[in-house]
Amino acid sequence: MEDRISKLPDEILAHILSFLRSSTDAVRSSVLSRQWRYIWLKLQKFQICDSYYYGKTYSTEVFMNSFVNFMNRVLINNVKYLSLRLTQNYSSSDIESWLCSVMTRNLEEIHLEGSVIRFPAKYSKSVCLTGLKSLYLEYLTNLSDFNVQMLLSNCPILEVLVIDRGWSDDFEILNVNSSSLKKFRYFDPYQKSSKVVINAPNLDNLSIHVDRKLNIEVKTPCSIAKARFVVSSCVGISRADMDPTVQLLRKTSNISCLSASCHIPKLLRDSSLHNLPSFTRLTRLIVSNCGDERSYLPAMLTMTPNLKFIRFYQNKRCNCYMTYAQELEPEQNVAKCLKSSLESVEFRGLQNVGEDMEIVAYLLKYAKLLNTFAITCYRDESEILRKVLMFPRASITCLISVVPEIHMWLNTRLSDPSEPANQLVIKECA
């Protein structure tokens, strides 16, 4: 059989190899023939991970030596996209050499992940990343405010910055200064009290995930359209700790899409502060890991007068509940969005039929323009559907669907959680 693929130009063959999920598979193509031996060196996209599986016939030392030789060959290429995830303890000189090579090339996107990647205390000023558009720094060691500022100052067209803090990074204040930055994600899972100061006037997408409190300051007005704020725990947070959160929400009150953990509306409610922000442009709201905090929904709805879509996501492991009835607003104080704008509701992970049904009944009773109400549950979907159909509805054209949670998970496991789910209706009633 004629080998037509091998007759293609090397550049096209390299482009085909770039679609493989792992660059290791692309390197393995070198055994196909003499022609394929060096095609992988022309790849512009590399995803490298040094995973070593114990039980191999060769030792860790042999594997690491082979990997060092491989890295020294890869980093001489004209790579545009590089993802480097390290797990083994290589020498500081090797890692520093790789970082220097990465930071002095005309890359467009860089992913660095792993605590073994150690940034030098005083990084070289010869960094040249004039073409870099996306930078991901995940769980690195010795990452400091100096390193971040140095990198940002050498990335004039950077659009995406992701910082996932490691347990041994080194900064108390993180300054993010970039006139070109459009998307910033910050993740701090280690209960650190660092402050983040953002000076990015063109920022459009902001995602913050911290363990205890949002100590984030936005210095300049920005046109953020999409935001995600997650606080893993609010236990022990005082009213004084609330100030940065409220100030942040005021600076981002022009957003159109907000994804927040249930602690955010709870903190706003508990703060007893006046002059809270009104999200007049907000049309999409996603509230995650809901428990008893869903009782604060009415207060949140009063701040979103033009809301069109709302999604609740209940983690199956969350077991916090309280009575909703005393928290729900009486009819004369129903939020404006329920009367004039709310069109779609998703309730994912309904599990406590008694308390959760209070919110379902409330929304169906007062949302006049509601078109769809989708519920996923962990059990008893037939019983839940029967009860829901008995609730009075302000919108007689509302389509109601109740499906098992596993079906919704299969349908949306690869989708962006802030985007609408693909339609999947098992049981419905108009």
Side-chain angles (χ1 to χ4, degrees):
M1 181 179 296
E2 184 180 3
D3 183 5
R4 295 183 179 181
I5 295 180
S6 295
K7 292 182 179 180
L8 295 173
D10 289 353
E11 290 73 16
I12 295 179
L13 295 177
H15 181 68
I16 294 173
L17 291 178
S18 68
F19 288 97
L20 294 174
R21 295 188 63 181
S22 170
S23 298
T24 303
D25 295 330
V27 175
R28 287 171 179 165
S29 68
S30 62
V31 303
L32 295 176
S33 68
R34 290 184 178 180
Q35 180 187 355
W36 285 80
R37 183 174 299 175
Y38 301 111
I39 289 178
W40 66 272
L41 291 173
K42 298 181 182 294
L43 288 175
Q44 294 189 351
K45 179 178 180 180
F46 260 89
Q47 301 180 69
I48 304 171
C49 178
D50 66 337
S51 297
Y52 173 79
Y53 300 98
Y54 292 95
K56 294 282 188 180
T57 56
Y58 47 83
S59 65
T60 306
E61 183 179 358
V62 172
F63 169 81
M64 292 175 64
N65 289 335
S66 176
F67 183 81
V68 169
N69 293 331
F70 169 75
M71 284 295 297
N72 292 336
R73 296 180 67 188
V74 168
L75 294 180
I76 66 173
N77 302 325
N78 188 28
V79 178
K80 296 294 184 182
Y81 169 101
L82 178 64
S83 174
L84 178 61
R85 179 174 179 267
L86 299 182
T87 61
Q88 304 296 327
N89 287 318
Y90 303 97
S91 68
S92 300
S93 59
D94 281 332
I95 293 178
E96 187 168 340
S97 174
W98 298 338
L99 289 179
C100 288
S101 181
V102 168
M103 298 302 177
T104 55
R105 296 183 179 275
N106 191 28
L107 294 167
E108 295 180 2
E109 185 167 341
I110 297 175
H111 293 239
L112 299 176
E113 179 183 352
S115 60
V116 300
I117 300 180
R118 298 173 292 275
F119 264 86
K122 296 293 183 180
Y123 206 80
S124 172
K125 295 184 179 180
S126 63
V127 171
C128 180
L129 296 170
T130 56
L132 192 67
K133 295 182 179 179
S134 301
L135 177 62
Y136 295 73
L137 306 174
E138 304 178 37
Y139 313 113
L140 307 186
T141 298
N142 293 346
L143 185 65
S144 66
D145 182 50
F146 172 83
N147 296 135
V148 173
Q149 290 197 58
M150 181 275 301
L151 290 173
L152 292 179
S153 65
N154 287 278
C155 302
I157 63 171
L158 187 70
E159 297 180 355
V160 178
L161 175 63
V162 173
I163 296 180
D164 291 354
R165 296 195 61 174
W167 63 271
S168 59
D169 57 23
D170 183 27
F171 55 79
E172 295 184 0
I173 298 180
L174 173 63
N175 290 280
V176 179
N177 299 301
S178 175
S179 59
S180 61
L181 196 65
K182 295 181 180 179
K183 180 178 181 180
F184 175 51
R185 189 188 80 190
Y186 175 79
F187 177 46
D188 177 11
Y190 294 105
Q191 303 184 29
K192 298 184 178 182
S193 58
S194 302
K195 181 178 181 179
V196 180
V197 180
I198 302 173
N199 187 353
N202 292 309
L203 194 65
D204 176 70
N205 190 318
L206 177 62
S207 177
I208 307 293
H209 187 166
V210 296
D211 182 73
R212 292 186 59 80
K213 62 180 180 179
L214 289 169
N215 194 4
I216 314 294
E217 180 182 354
V218 178
K219 296 289 288 186
T220 56
C222 46
S223 55
I224 297 176
K226 185 176 181 180
R228 180 174 183 264
F229 302 134
V230 177
V231 179
S232 299
S233 174
C234 60
V235 177
I237 296 181
S238 65
R239 291 187 179 182
D241 294 330
M242 275 298 302
D243 289 341
T245 302
V246 175
Q247 294 302 324
L248 174 62
L249 292 173
R250 284 174 180 160
K251 281 292 184 72
T252 58
S253 59
N254 288 327
I255 58 178
S256 59
C257 178
L258 173 63
S259 177
S261 62
C262 55
H263 301 302
I264 299 300
K266 178 177 181 179
L267 290 172
L268 290 174
R269 157 73 183 273
D270 291 346
S271 68
S272 301
L273 295 175
H274 300 289
N275 194 26
L276 292 176
S278 178
F279 298 92
T280 57
R281 296 186 181 181
L282 189 69
T283 58
R284 294 179 55 80
L285 174 63
I286 297 96
V287 183
S288 61
N289 296 327
C290 304
D292 66 317
E293 286 78 10
R294 269 176 294 198
S295 61
Y296 302 100
L297 171 66
M300 193 70 186
L301 292 181
T302 60
M303 296 187 288
T304 57
N306 299 305
L307 192 67
K308 293 184 177 181
F309 170 87
I310 185 169
R311 176 190 298 162
F312 304 98
Y313 175 74
Q314 169 67 46
N315 190 314
K316 190 174 183 179
R317 297 179 180 178
C318 184
N319 296 311
C320 301
Y321 300 102
M322 66 183 294
T323 303
Y324 289 119
Q326 63 182 358
E327 303 291 344
L328 299 179
E329 296 283 351
E331 186 171 357
Q332 61 269 25
N333 293 325
V334 171
K336 178 183 176 182
C337 65
L338 295 180
K339 300 177 181 179
S340 61
S341 64
L342 189 64
E343 298 175 353
S344 180
V345 176
E346 290 183 11
F347 209 125
R348 295 189 183 180
L350 186 147
Q351 57 179 316
N352 191 299
V353 177
E355 286 81 357
D356 290 348
M357 282 301 188
E358 290 281 351
I359 289 294
V360 174
Y362 177 76
L363 293 172
L364 286 174
K365 182 177 180 180
Y366 295 116
K368 295 183 178 181
L369 302 183
L370 205 58
N371 294 322
T372 59
F373 200 116
I375 300 174
T376 69
C377 52
Y378 293 106
R379 59 180 182 177
D380 303 329
E381 62 270 17
S382 298
E383 178 65 15
I384 290 174
L385 179 64
R386 185 187 67 81
K387 291 184 177 182
V388 170
L389 295 180
M390 296 176 63
F391 294 150
R393 281 176 277 169
S395 173
I396 60 175
T397 61
C398 178
L399 177 67
I400 299 176
S401 66
V402 179
V403 301
E405 177 65 21
I406 184 62
H407 290 163
M408 182 62 73
W409 177 82
L410 291 173
N411 199 40
T412 61
R413 62 192 174 96
L414 297 180
S415 65
D416 184 340
S418 65
E419 296 299 327
N422 298 326
Q423 187 174 7
L424 176 63
V425 179
I426 292 182
K427 302 177 181 180
E428 60 183 40
C429 180

